Amino acid sequence: MGKKFSDDDTHLITECKQGNKSAFDSLVVKYQDRVFNVVYRLTGDENLACDLVQDTFINAYRGLKNFKEHSTFFTWLFRIAVNTATNSRRKRMRNRVVSISKFQSENEDNWFDPVSDEKDPSQKAEDSEQTIIVQQAIDSLEEPYKTAIVLRDIEGLSYEEMQEILECPIGTVRSRIHRARNLVKEKLEAILNKE
């Protein structure tokens, strides 16, 4: 679920606003992996994700003077990352596979399980095939639903964090997640029924 962040961010942001560039470097180091993960899952392209993460941090640095502490730095940064990835996706419309774990339809709060390194090669191949099918189903979703499922079911963010990132009411967040899950289930059922 959503990771809690320390007051250290507030101190670093204050330092950044006073012109201390190394304080922003500390924020980059702290959040770059999580930002990369979200952007990569939204774009499906590692090289593109690297570029977009860089754009995200550049935009964050430039906009830091306007950052208001009514939200956390993390959710503000994620909003920038999601918007950057969304704009890029709209321009490029790529359908690439990412490494996600296998789909579980029974437990809606835990759709993606980590893939164990201890599995035999045939099980790894089956998991890989399932991963491709699930990612294709997610990639085919319209933007608000894809973002909702990535943030909630892959990143494990709370509804409150998603509300801040997506800048919409919590009811809308819940509705998008529910709709996205149903759409993915429908797409997977259609694929499985063809086999």
Side-chain angles (χ1 to χ4, degrees):
M1 304 320 124
K3 190 176 173 183
K4 300 296 178 210
F5 302 95
S6 70
D7 290 335
D8 189 43
D9 288 356
T10 304
H11 172 72
L12 291 171
I13 290 163
T14 302
E15 290 288 315
C16 289
K17 287 181 176 181
Q18 294 172 353
N20 182 348
K21 291 183 180 179
S22 66
F24 192 76
D25 293 343
S26 297
L27 289 168
V28 171
V29 168
K30 184 173 183 179
Y31 293 110
Q32 66 186 353
D33 290 343
R34 290 201 69 197
V35 171
F36 175 81
N37 194 41
V38 166
V39 173
Y40 180 52
R41 300 225 186 242
L42 291 173
T43 63
D45 183 308
E46 186 175 350
N47 292 325
L48 177 61
C50 287
D51 291 342
L52 296 177
V53 167
Q54 185 175 7
D55 291 346
T56 296
F57 282 108
I58 289 169
N59 292 334
Y61 184 76
R62 288 178 180 157
L64 197 57
K65 62 185 173 290
N66 300 320
F67 173 68
K68 307 288 186 241
E69 276 114 39
H70 59 70
S71 66
T72 64
F73 177 76
F74 165 74
T75 56
W76 180 76
L77 181 64
F78 256 48
R79 186 179 317 124
I80 294 170
V82 167
N83 289 340
T84 302
T86 298
N87 291 338
S88 174
R89 183 172 183 254
R90 285 182 183 144
K91 289 177 188 172
R92 299 171 195 253
M93 296 304 289
R94 295 185 190 252
N95 281 330
R96 295 238 176 154
V97 176
V98 296
S99 298
I100 60 174
S101 338
K102 70 180 185 177
F103 175 73
Q104 291 182 327
S105 61
E106 297 301 316
N107 182 356
E108 288 191 353
D109 284 332
N110 188 19
W111 274 31
F112 301 96
D113 279 342
V115 177
S116 169
D117 290 334
E118 299 172 13
K119 292 182 179 176
D120 65 58
S122 65
Q123 184 63 48
K124 284 183 181 179
E126 184 178 324
D127 287 347
S128 178
E129 185 176 324
Q130 289 174 354
T131 296
I132 291 168
I133 292 169
V134 172
Q135 186 60 47
Q136 287 172 342
I138 292 171
D139 283 345
S140 70
L141 296 176
E142 292 179 26
E143 193 57 49
Y145 304 116
K146 179 176 182 175
T147 301
I149 207 165
V150 167
L151 292 178
R152 177 67 180 167
D153 292 329
I154 296 176
E155 282 301 307
L157 297 184
S158 70
Y159 293 118
E160 293 77 15
E161 289 170 324
M162 290 180 64
Q163 177 184 14
E164 284 187 45
I165 291 167
L166 300 175
E167 298 179 305
C168 63
I170 205 159
T172 303
V173 170
R174 291 178 188 274
S175 173
R176 287 180 186 174
I177 292 166
H178 179 74
R179 180 73 177 134
R181 288 173 176 168
N182 285 338
L183 288 168
V184 169
K185 283 181 184 179
E186 289 171 14
K187 292 174 186 300
L188 293 176
E189 286 171 4
I191 292 168
L192 295 174
N193 289 337
K194 286 181 183 178
E195 293 179 354

